[in-house]
Every structure is written in structure tokens, then in C-alpha cells.
Amino acid sequence: MKKKIFKIIYISIFSVLVLESAYLFVVPVFLNKYINEAYIESVSAQKTNVIISCKNSKIKTHILPYLSFSLSNLIIKDKQNGDIILNGENLSAKIALFPLIKKKINIKSSAADNIEIFITKDENGIYNFLELFPSNDKKGFKTECKNTNLLLNRLQITENDKSF
């Protein structure tokens, strides 16, 4: 009877180790293969009113249930007129995994270096970033930034008034 209990315990521990190893090592390889710069540009062009280009996108998993990603040379442009809205050197963020099940994105921390944000106000007083990410998708994700750490190094915001 004791041997059977120990066997069940050993099998359980081994199973947990195999699953954790797959989560830590196999999942990032799979995600980095399919969610690359071309995929980010394609999805942003289809689902938003912006063109997103970046380099060196990388996704990592952690022992705690978090997923982190980093990318460099991020440029976000308005799809209609090609104006640059955001230009950044290095960006990274840490996202909690369990809220993704409920279609919520919970950003735990984020960091950015050399960020330039270009804000333009049109003749109606509307800023250029307000209509870029449409929220008409009722099945979309909700974003939460509760208790989030945001580290910005060298942030520059430039406002350009295009009113006539």
C-alpha cells in the first residue's frame, strides 16, 4: 500500500516537472516562432488604424504565471497619413497569464527607453491617437493596469496643432 502511494506521489511530481519544463522552455520557442515582427505588423494593419513596425521581438515565460515580451525600434504610424505617433528604442512588459482566460490583459510592469510621442490635434480639436485603436469589438480584451510599475527613460512628448 505504501509503495502505491509513493508511486502516485513520484508520478505526480514528475508530471508537474515535465509540464513546468514545457511551459518554461517549449512555449517560448513556439510563441517566438509564430509571433514575430511580420505577425505583429500584419495583425496591427488588419485590426487597428495604425502601422506597427518593430525589431527583436522576444517572448519569455517565468516560473510564476507571467509572460514577458520585449522589442526594440518600435514605430507606430497613422495608417491614413503615415505620421509617426510613437517612436521607441526598447520596450518591455510583463503580463499575468490567468486573466487572459477571462479576456483581460493585466499588465504587471512595463519599461521603455527613448520614447518619443507625437500628438497632433486636428481642426476639430481631436487628438490623432483617439481613433487609432477602435473599441467596437465586443468580444475583445479588456486591459487592466492595476498596481502596475511603469519605468520610462528619456520620454519626449511633442504636440503639433494642425488646426486652421
Side-chain angles (χ1 to χ4, degrees), residues 1 20 23 32 43 55 88 94 111-112 118 121 123 129 133 136 144-145 149 155:
M1 184 68 168
E20 185 69 24
Y23 166 71
N32 285 318
V43 169
K55 294 184 179 166
K94 196 174 195 181
F118 301 94
K121 188 174 16 174
E123 60 273 0
F129 59 86
F133 301 98
N136 58 3
E144 292 181 351
C145 292
N149 296 322
L155 171 67

Side-chain angles (χ1 to χ4, degrees), residues 124-136:
N124 298 323
I126 305 294
Y127 286 102
N128 61 341
F129 59 86
L130 295 177
E131 296 294 325
L132 298 178
F133 301 98
S135 60
N136 58 3

Side-chain angles (χ1 to χ4, degrees), residues 109-124:
S109 65
S110 58
D113 287 334
N114 289 336
I115 297 294
E116 294 178 302
I117 300 173
F118 301 94
I119 299 173
T120 304
K121 188 174 16 174
D122 68 7
E123 60 273 0
N124 298 323

